Amino acid sequence: MKSQRKEIISYFRQMDRSFFMDSNKELAIFDHALPIGFEQTISQPSLVLEMTLALDPQPEQKVLELGTGSGFQTALLAAFSGSVYTIERIEELQNRAKERLGQLGFQNIQFKLGDGSEGWYEQAPFDRIMVTAAASEVPKELLEQMNKGGKMVIPVGSSFSQELRLIEKDNNGKLHTTLLNEVLFVPLKGKYEK
């Protein structure tokens, strides 16, 4: 599998972050997380890029995203994956993201409304899993839904201190974890919320 690193960086640089925001659009150029309502945020751009590069999506792969939010991360994943299955628990955010992503012409995204902490069993297994909210521990359901050779990027920790982890499942089903960064995300609501 060939890394799409250069192509992802190039595409990311031409993305208009303000398109994914309803207010404070003038702040979109800054490298900070910003509120999008419902106590949710659009992530810091440099972190969205870092997480996407670590996940290393491929054109033939099936990706699960937990936390559609504004759709900003979803758009980046959809541009470089075969298909994206994205879950959002807040209906209004999902509807706005669906509309934006439709305007951008994406046809490889499936949306689900609900608790993403348990994944999407009906569509599993997934080659890549992107979690955009912090879990108190790595959900075992997500590990089960990850294909051999798969990767997951997930923030893990408390509401004050989190580690961004890359979890890889080798061809024997063994898990390998790499610490990528110290981060601060909104909590993953549902079963793994503390």
Side-chain angles (χ1 to χ4, degrees), residues 11 59 61-63 71 74-86 97-111 120:
Y11 185 87
Q61 289 180 337
K62 194 171 175 182
V63 177
T74 318
L76 192 55
L77 292 171
F80 294 94
S81 308
S83 54
V84 175
Y85 293 78
T86 184
K98 203 184 276 192
E99 186 179 329
R100 289 182 190 117
L101 294 161
Q103 286 174 24
L104 293 173
F106 288 111
Q107 297 183 334
N108 62 337
I109 304 170
Q110 298 294 319
F111 298 86
W120 195 335

Side-chain angles (χ1 to χ4, degrees), residues 148-159:
K148 288 181 178 175
K151 296 182 182 186
M152 172 167 43
V153 173
I154 180 170
V156 181
S158 69
S159 54

Side-chain angles (χ1 to χ4, degrees), residues 120-183:
W120 195 335
Y121 276 109
E122 302 83 356
Q123 298 296 342
F126 299 97
D127 303 299
R128 299 288 188 263
I129 300 176
M130 175 71 81
V131 184
T132 63
S136 57
E137 60 187 275
V138 179
K140 66 181 188 319
E141 293 89 345
L142 299 184
L143 296 173
E144 288 165 4
Q145 291 174 46
M146 187 164 49
N147 250 337
K148 288 181 178 175
K151 296 182 182 186
M152 172 167 43
V153 173
I154 180 170
V156 181
S158 69
S159 54
F160 307 107
S161 170
Q162 300 154 14
E163 296 177 346
L164 186 63
R165 299 179 190 173
L166 170 65
I167 300 172
E168 300 176 86
K169 186 184 278 191
D170 67 23
N171 290 327
N172 297 316
K174 189 166 187 244
L175 298 170
H176 306 271
T177 301
T178 306
L179 174 61
L180 299 176
N181 211 333
E182 298 292 325
V183 292

Side-chain angles (χ1 to χ4, degrees), residues 12 15-17 20 42-43 45 48 68 70-76:
F12 175 80
M15 286 179 81
D16 178 8
R17 188 180 183 220
F20 297 90
I42 182 170
S43 295
V48 169
T68 315
S70 67
F72 183 57
Q73 174 75 76
T74 318
L76 192 55

